[in-house]
Amino acid sequence: MLETIPSAEEMAILVGGPLYDIWNKLNAFIEEKYDMECSWNTGGKAWKYEYKYRRGGKTLCALYARENCVGFMVILGKNERLKFEADRGQYSKEVQRIYDGTQTYHDGKWLMFEPKDTALFDDFMKLLGIKRKPNRK
């Protein structure tokens, strides 16, 4: 858990203005469809901050921030991977490439994206939809 949540200004300086805009758009995109508990944490070795979406003890996804970089992670378990693989043609080549290049662990594939624009947002929502149906209209 973080002692102090970063301010908007700190985040904009950390990731850079254009990526901070992507960060905000991605959060708004998720929050439009999902009513979740959100928490700030340290980002481990690779990231400065983690912003996690959870509900009922299950993580939906997490956003990460470090200098000049924003990350979006979704973990697909075994059944979720089967759903993705059955539908993979519906995803962009970039999402398929990241999926194929991600190691599979005992608890699933930890898909990490580093969006530079909103091009993959629709794919991100499809991935989240595999994990959990949206609970906002």
Side-chain angles (χ1 to χ4, degrees):
M1 219 41 188
L2 274 182
E3 288 180 25
T4 56
I5 291 171
S7 68
E9 187 180 11
E10 285 176 79
M11 287 296 292
I13 291 167
L14 177 67
V15 300
L19 284 179
Y20 184 56
D21 187 43
I22 297 303
W23 171 276
N24 284 327
K25 284 180 176 161
L26 187 50
N27 276 301
F29 213 61
I30 296 166
E31 287 167 11
E32 185 182 308
K33 303 265 192 254
Y34 293 93
D35 180 22
M36 307 294 281
E37 298 151 17
C38 298
S39 62
W40 284 95
N41 297 293
T42 57
K45 290 182 181 139
W47 301 90
K48 181 154 185 174
Y49 298 116
E50 173 191 70
Y51 187 65
K52 192 179 281 188
Y53 285 88
R54 292 176 63 95
R55 186 173 183 130
K58 288 193 163 192
T59 299
L60 176 69
C61 64
L63 276 66
Y64 292 88
R66 66 175 177 232
E67 197 171 331
N68 300 316
C69 193
V70 166
F72 171 78
M73 180 183 279
V74 61
I75 300 169
L76 297 182
K78 186 174 185 212
N79 291 339
E80 295 158 345
R81 290 197 324 271
L82 292 173
K83 286 180 190 172
F84 174 87
E85 288 164 11
D87 216 17
R88 69 178 289 136
Q90 303 301 310
Y91 292 85
S92 67
K93 294 283 182 238
E94 176 71 1
V95 169
Q96 292 180 43
R97 183 186 66 74
I98 288 172
Y99 180 89
D100 292 342
T102 299
Q103 185 174 346
T104 303
Y105 295 99
H106 71 282
D107 59 350
K109 274 190 183 269
W110 296 46
L111 304 176
M112 175 62 85
F113 300 91
E114 294 181 5
K116 305 275 186 263
D117 54 38
T118 60
L120 296 178
F121 280 18
D122 286 337
D123 278 0
F124 292 171
M125 287 301 122
K126 284 191 266 186
L127 289 170
L128 295 181
I130 289 175
K131 292 193 67 66
R132 173 180 222 130
K133 296 223 177 315
N135 57 3
R136 282 198 169 142
K137 295 287 179 231

